[in-house]
Structure formats: C-alpha cells, structure tokens
Amino acid sequence: MSDKAYLDWPFLEPHHRVLERELDAWAGQHLTASHGDDVDAECRALVVALGSGGWLRLAVGGRDFGGQADEIDTRAICLVRETLARHSGLADFTFAMQGLGSGAISLYGTDEQKAAYLPRVAAGEAIAAFALSEPEAGSDVAAMSCQARLENGEYVLDGVKTWISNGGIADFYLVFARTGEAPGSRGISAFIVDADTPGLEIAGRIEVTAPHPLATLRFTGCRVPRSGLVGELGQGFKVAMSTLDVFRTSVAAAALGFARRALDESLARTTSRAMFGGRLADFQLTQARLAEMATGIDAAALLTYRAAWLRDRGGRVTKEAAMAKMTATETAQRVVDGAVQLWGGLGVTRGQVVESLYREVRALRIYEGATEVQGLIVARELIKGFEAGLEKGDA
Ligand SMILES: Cc1cc2nc3c(=O)[nH]c(=O)nc-3n(C[C@H](O)[C@H](O)[C@H](O)COP(=O)(O)OP(=O)(O)OC[C@H]3O[C@@H](n4cnc5c(N)ncnc54)[C@H](O)[C@@H]3O)c2cc1C
C-alpha cells in the first residue's frame, strides 16, 4: 500500500486530495498494469473510459469547453498521472496525450478552436496528438524543417514529423512548422491539423519498448485553413514550450507513479520472500536499498509538486519543470531497476508488474526533452539569473 503522506504537503489543496482518493478507487476497479497486444484498441477504449469517468475534464482548460476548471490545474494533472501510472502505464499515456495534444488549444486557442476541439477531448470523443519532433530535430527542436507557407488564404504544410504518440489513432494533431518569420526558434508556428486532411499520411508505425501508438507522419501539400493557426504567427516555439511547462512536470509525476508502484512491489516481495532463515527484508543491504528508494521518491516528489504549484500560481516555470523532470525520471529508473533486482528472476519474467514497470519507465528519460537537455535548461536559467543579477549590481 502506497505511502500517501505527500498528499498532506502544502503544495496541494483539499480538492486535490479528494481527486486522488476518487481516482485511485476508480483506477482500482477499471485498470490493470498489464495489457494485450492491440494497443490501438486498448488506447481507444481507455480514452472512452477516462472520458466517461470524467477524468479527461482535467486534461483541458476552460469550464465552457468541457474543462473541470477555467485554467489548467497542473497539480491535478500531476496527481492524475501519478495515480494512473501506479495502476497502468497505458492509462497514464492516454490521459497525458489528451492533455499534451490539446494543451496548446487550452493555453492559446481562440474560443472557436476551443469550442471545436476541447469538449470532444474532455469527453473522450476525439483523440489528440502533439507533433513537434522530426528525424533531424529531436533535442534540437529549433532545427525543424517542416514548412507551412501561406497560399490563397490557406497554410500548406510539407515535411515529416516522427515519434508522434497517438500517431495513427489521433483525430487531430497539433503540428509545429516553420513559417519563416525569423531563423531558428523564432520562425515556427503551431497548427491544428485534422487527421483526415488530404496530404497528411501515416508514413510508418514505430514499435517501442513499452508499446503504445507511435508513428511517423508525412505532410505533402497538406492544406490547413487560416483558422487552424494556434497562437500568433512565429510564436510556435513559445506555444510549444509553455505547453511543455505543464506537461514536462507531469512526466515527472508519471515517473513518480511508476516509482511508487515499484516501491510497493518491493516492500510486498521483500517482506514475504523467505531466505537464509529469515526474510529478504531483514537484511541491512535490502533495507538500505528500500530507504534509498523511498528517499529518492520523496525528493523527486517535492521538486515535482513545487513545479506544479508554481505553475498554478502563474508564469513560466521552465527551470523548475526541468529540475523536476530530470530528477524524477532518473530516480524512477533507479527505483524500478532496484525493484527488479529485489524480485530476482521473477523480476525479469513477463507478466510481472516490476518487469512491465522496467519497460514503461525507460522512455521518460528521453521524451519531452532528454535528461541532458533538462540539465542544459537548468544551467541556462541559472546563468541568465546570475548575469541579470550582475547587471543590476547584486553581486
Ligand atoms: C516513446 C516516445 C514517445 C514520443 N512522443 C512524442 C510525441 O508525442 N510528440 C513529439 O513531438 N515527440 C515525441 N517523442 C520524441 C522525443 O521528444 C524525442 O525522442 C526527444 O526529444 C529526443 O530526440 P531524438 O530522439 O531525436 O534524440 P537526439 O536529439 O538525437 O538525442 C539523443 C541523445 O543525445 C543526448 N543529448 C541531446 N542533447 C544533448 C546535449 N546538448 N548535450 C549532450 N547530450 C545531449 C541525450 O541523451 C539524447 O537522448 C517521443 C519519443 C519517444 C521515445
């Protein structure tokens, strides 16, 4: 049974605690850690289940558009992801993508865009996806080459996007493309592209360690109406980064969910496994490992909920979100690996929870900015702050 003491931390409000309790009970009834081979069908079913359970209302912002609240509640999103990840990696993935794929609309969309997409996302009637990465532009997002040129009042998209979660099952994609106002990150814009738009095709599906729908998209003369532009022209990088401020922090929360489940599994196994005339949990080497796991989880959780709390108070939290993501995903990897070790041969056996956690946790250190990229972000913000202080004469 998970230690829920973190729910009493001052970062959270009473309604967050109620949310966690209700979702945990719902997830216990509706979700399982293992899933079958047809992940497309399972994800579609999970979107419907999470939608009818009312949980996807937390993935979008705006009460008038199906959201639970007028603003995106980052702490609620984190709690949902942490809770779902404890029960099912695929359910966490499904919830996260509904939020990430529609986040730019919640944050920067016009009322027409919000009305057209958010209620369906919140109800589980439309599946969302976020298309930023390209074969030559992963960590280096500003190197993207996908183009959008204005022609006869429409934007025409040409290029390739890859690693797109929900690719192949999404109803619409939030696509970032170069509109050329300026070089690098300043010449990018964001567009909503419906999945059935002519000129958009699924160029290939990608299989990954923890299976979920993932694809490469190709745009060839794909015409998008002017009304599909999200935010201002040339501001797409800002749109992407603000969306990631919320969802990067939530990746940290998902990592916490996997780590907490791994700790629960470790406690269950070590207190029941008989060996050398005692239990595995009786040995000090085991206890040191359990202590390290629990301490790492709490440290990561403090950074995660600090970032979420700051984001909910308003403003950018680039540094704090990066610190949280970097720490939580690296910690979760160590915790899950430790759990596999404590389970011995069973730990690497298909069908065991810790074995699936081992596969689930790995990609989190890579997507939405690899650990090394988060390190760069933290350092850049530190240096910026230091130099700004020097200019003001603080030093
Ligand atoms: C399962 C999965 C789901 C994904 N879903 C989506 C999605 O829905 N939408 C989307 O747009 N993208 C998605 N991605 C893409 C993801 O964001 C990229 O994989 C990620 O940004 C890394 O880019 P890359 O794979 O091209 O690796 P590269 O950019 O080639 O980086 C490789 C490695 O280099 C290291 N590195 C990077 N920069 C530096 C540096 N400056 N200094 C030192 N080392 C560095 C890091 O270890 C990094 O992992 C997904 C990826 C995966 C694996």
Side-chain angles (χ1 to χ4, degrees), residues 97 130-133 138-139 163-165 212 214 363 366-368 370 372-373 376:
M97 287 316 304
F130 180 83
L132 181 68
S133 305
S139 304
W163 307 112
I164 308 310
S165 296
H212 68 251
L214 195 67
I366 297 172
Y367 63 59
E368 292 190 38
E372 292 75 6
V373 172
L376 288 179

Side-chain angles (χ1 to χ4, degrees), residues 45-168:
L46 280 166
V47 171
V48 172
L50 289 168
S52 29
W55 309 113
L56 294 178
R57 296 176 60 217
L58 291 153
V60 305
R63 278 196 180 88
D64 292 342
F65 308 106
Q68 174 105 344
D70 280 333
E71 301 292 332
I72 282 186
D73 180 340
T74 317
R75 287 166 292 171
I77 288 179
C78 286
L79 278 175
V80 170
R81 291 202 63 181
E82 179 168 350
T83 306
L84 291 177
R86 256 196 300 113
H87 289 272
S88 154
L90 212 53
D92 163 58
F93 164 80
T94 302
F95 175 85
M97 287 316 304
Q98 289 296 89
L100 181 63
S102 66
I105 304 177
S106 290
L107 293 172
Y108 290 94
T110 60
D111 280 356
E112 288 72 27
Q113 290 169 336
K114 289 179 179 175
Y117 291 93
L118 298 184
R120 292 190 295 135
V121 170
E125 292 164 5
I127 298 181
F130 180 83
L132 181 68
S133 305
E134 298 183 6
E136 304 304 327
S139 304
D140 185 6
V141 177
M144 78 168 58
S145 63
C146 187
Q147 301 272 343
R149 62 177 198 286
L150 195 57
E151 196 181 280
N152 300 330
E154 289 179 318
Y155 287 99
V156 184
L157 270 63
D158 285 287
V160 172
K161 293 285 170 186
T162 195
W163 307 112
I164 308 310
S165 296
N166 277 345

Side-chain angles (χ1 to χ4, degrees), residues 360-382:
E360 292 286 355
V361 79
R362 186 60 183 88
L364 275 62
R365 290 166 58 211
I366 297 172
Y367 63 59
E368 292 190 38
T371 296
E372 292 75 6
V373 172
Q374 307 306 325
L376 288 179
I377 293 171
V378 173
R380 189 189 62 208
E381 295 292 317
L382 281 177

Side-chain angles (χ1 to χ4, degrees), residues 1-348:
M1 184 57 202
S2 274
D3 177 3
K4 300 277 184 78
Y6 72 99
L7 292 171
D8 292 326
W9 289 350
F11 295 126
L12 300 175
E13 294 174 36
H15 68 91
H16 293 123
R17 300 181 181 106
V18 174
L19 164 68
E20 193 279 338
R21 202 169 52 238
E22 292 180 352
L23 177 59
D24 195 33
W26 181 90
Q29 284 175 352
H30 293 84
L31 304 177
T32 53
S34 60
H35 53 76
D37 291 335
D38 189 350
V39 284
D40 286 11
E42 294 210 22
C43 282
R44 285 196 179 98
L46 280 166
V47 171
V48 172
L50 289 168
S52 29
W55 309 113
L56 294 178
R57 296 176 60 217
L58 291 153
V60 305
R63 278 196 180 88
D64 292 342
F65 308 106
Q68 174 105 344
D70 280 333
E71 301 292 332
I72 282 186
D73 180 340
T74 317
R75 287 166 292 171
I77 288 179
C78 286
L79 278 175
V80 170
R81 291 202 63 181
E82 179 168 350
T83 306
L84 291 177
R86 256 196 300 113
H87 289 272
S88 154
L90 212 53
D92 163 58
F93 164 80
T94 302
F95 175 85
M97 287 316 304
Q98 289 296 89
L100 181 63
S102 66
I105 304 177
S106 290
L107 293 172
Y108 290 94
T110 60
D111 280 356
E112 288 72 27
Q113 290 169 336
K114 289 179 179 175
Y117 291 93
L118 298 184
R120 292 190 295 135
V121 170
E125 292 164 5
I127 298 181
F130 180 83
L132 181 68
S133 305
E134 298 183 6
E136 304 304 327
S139 304
D140 185 6
V141 177
M144 78 168 58
S145 63
C146 187
Q147 301 272 343
R149 62 177 198 286
L150 195 57
E151 196 181 280
N152 300 330
E154 289 179 318
Y155 287 99
V156 184
L157 270 63
D158 285 287
V160 172
K161 293 285 170 186
T162 195
W163 307 112
I164 308 310
S165 296
N166 277 345
I169 69 163
D171 293 290
F172 70 93
Y173 297 87
L174 209 297
V175 181
F176 296 85
R178 189 162 286 294
T179 37
E181 292 68 32
S185 62
R186 284 172 292 133
I188 293 168
S189 302
F191 301 92
I192 305 168
V193 184
D194 289 325
D196 57 3
T197 309
L200 163 56
E201 60 169 326
I202 304 301
R205 296 292 295 262
I206 305 166
E207 288 190 23
V208 279
T209 322
H212 68 251
L214 195 67
T216 299
L217 316 180
R218 181 175 297 118
F219 298 86
T220 318
C222 177
R223 304 185 84 86
V224 177
R226 237 182 172 144
S227 59
L229 175 72
V230 181
E232 288 171 35
L233 205 59
Q235 295 295 307
F237 193 77
K238 189 174 128 199
V239 171
M241 293 307 129
S242 310
T243 309
L244 289 175
D245 269 1
V246 176
F247 289 94
R248 231 170 225 165
T249 306
S250 82
V251 176
L256 282 175
F258 293 135
R260 286 194 200 281
R261 181 66 187 262
L263 178 57
D264 286 350
E265 297 292 325
S266 302
L267 287 166
R269 180 68 184 160
T270 55
T271 52
S272 60
R273 174 65 167 156
M275 64 167 69
F276 303 112
R279 302 171 311 166
L280 180 52
D282 295 332
F283 305 112
Q284 287 182 338
L285 281 174
T286 309
Q287 291 170 8
R289 173 160 268 159
L290 293 172
E292 198 185 316
M293 287 175 169
T295 307
I297 289 172
D298 265 10
L302 282 162
L303 284 174
T304 303
Y305 286 99
R306 188 237 344 217
W309 170 74
L310 278 175
R311 166 70 188 56
D312 288 341
R313 293 176 70 201
R316 301 289 308 270
V317 290
T318 307
K319 183 179 74 182
E320 292 80 4
M323 284 178 167
K325 188 195 179 254
M326 177 166 75
T327 305
T329 57
E330 293 290 333
T331 300
Q333 179 83 57
R334 281 197 303 278
V335 170
V336 169
D337 186 66
V340 168
Q341 194 70 14
L342 289 169
W343 273 73
L346 283 177
V348 289

